[in-house]
Amino acid sequence: KNATLTLMALCSDGGENPTEKAILMAYGKDKETLDKTYPRVDEIPFSSGRKRMLTVNRTDDGFITVVKGAFDVIFPFCSFLYDEGVKRKLTGSDKEKLKKECESLSSKGYRVIAVAVKKSNASDKTEENMTFIGMTSLSDPLRKEAFDAVKICKRAGIRVIMITGDHKNTALSLAK
C-alpha cells in the first residue's frame, strides 16, 4: 500500500486535478521532499486519450519509469507483479484475481487507478514489461444536481447521453 501511494504521488502533478489532489492527500507526506529525493527527468503528461501519465525519475541506483492511470489501460503493460516485496512473473490466476478486484470496485461506482514501474534509463518512456505495484479506488460521487438535470432534459424530450473516460462499470453504476 505504501509503495502504491508513493509511486502514484511521484507520478502526479497535483494542481487543480481532483484525482491527483486525492492521491496526494492519501499519500499524506510532503510531495516536495519526494520530488527532491526522486527528481523527475522526463514525462508524458496525462491526457484523456491515453488515460495515463508517465514519469521517469532518478533514484539512488539509476532511473525508474512510473506509469499511473486507469487500471484497464495500465494492466496490459504489466508482465510482472510486486508481491510482498518480491518481483515475480504475473500468472494467469494473478491476472484474473486483479481484474475481478477492479471489476468489483468499478461496479460499485469507484474509479480504479493503477500504478506500475520498471527500472529504466534516463530516456526510457516505453511502457512494456512493467511491474504492477497496486491500485487504489476513488469515490467520485455524482453531483446532486445531476439527477434533476437529467429528469428535466427527459421531460423536455432531450435524449440524455453520458460521455466519460471512466471504466464502463463505474459509468454504469453512476448512470443507474
Side-chain angles (χ1 to χ4, degrees):
K1 179 181 175 185
N2 190 30
T4 299
L5 286 174
T6 299
L7 288 167
M8 285 185 175
L10 192 60
C11 189
S12 293
D13 290 329
E16 295 304 310
N17 181 301
T19 299
E20 293 199 349
K21 285 170 77 171
I23 287 168
L24 293 175
M25 186 179 295
Y27 172 62
K29 297 178 185 169
D30 183 27
K31 168 82 166 126
E32 196 173 307
T33 300
L34 181 66
D35 289 340
K36 285 180 183 174
T37 306
Y38 305 104
R40 187 179 298 179
V41 296
D42 210 347
E43 70 178 281
I44 301 174
F46 177 85
S47 72
S48 57
R50 285 176 37 86
K51 296 184 182 180
R52 63 191 180 276
M53 178 178 183
L54 177 147
T55 63
V56 179
N57 299 79
R58 183 183 312 278
T59 67
D60 291 340
D61 61 344
F63 298 89
I64 56 171
T65 298
V66 183
V67 183
K68 169 191 60 88
F71 174 86
D72 51 323
V73 173
I74 301 297
F75 198 60
F77 297 123
C78 297
S79 302
F80 303 95
L81 171 70
Y82 195 63
D83 185 16
E84 296 185 26
V86 178
K87 178 183 170 180
R88 64 175 177 79
K89 188 89 172 142
L90 258 171
T91 66
S93 63
D94 291 329
K95 291 177 183 178
E96 284 305 309
K97 179 182 172 191
L98 291 166
K99 286 178 184 176
K100 281 182 183 176
E101 189 173 341
C102 175
E103 294 289 325
S104 173
L105 290 166
S106 61
S107 68
K108 294 173 186 165
Y110 292 107
R111 294 184 59 220
V112 181
I113 309 295
V115 67
V117 67
K118 71 176 177 179
K119 287 189 178 218
S120 61
N121 63 48
S123 61
D124 186 359
K125 294 191 286 189
T126 61
E127 298 167 322
E128 66 261 347
N129 293 317
M130 303 293 290
T131 300
F132 182 81
I133 300 297
M135 64 181 133
T136 191
S137 58
L138 303 169
S139 175
D140 191 5
L142 192 60
R143 292 183 183 170
K144 292 177 185 173
E145 64 270 16
F147 182 77
D148 289 336
V150 170
K151 208 172 8 172
I152 291 166
C153 288
K154 284 186 172 186
R155 267 193 250 136
I158 299 169
R159 190 175 118 203
V160 177
I161 298 173
M162 182 172 157
I163 300 172
T164 179
D166 285 335
H167 188 281
K168 64 181 179 185
N169 291 347
T170 304
L172 183 60
S173 174
L174 291 173
K176 286 179 182 177

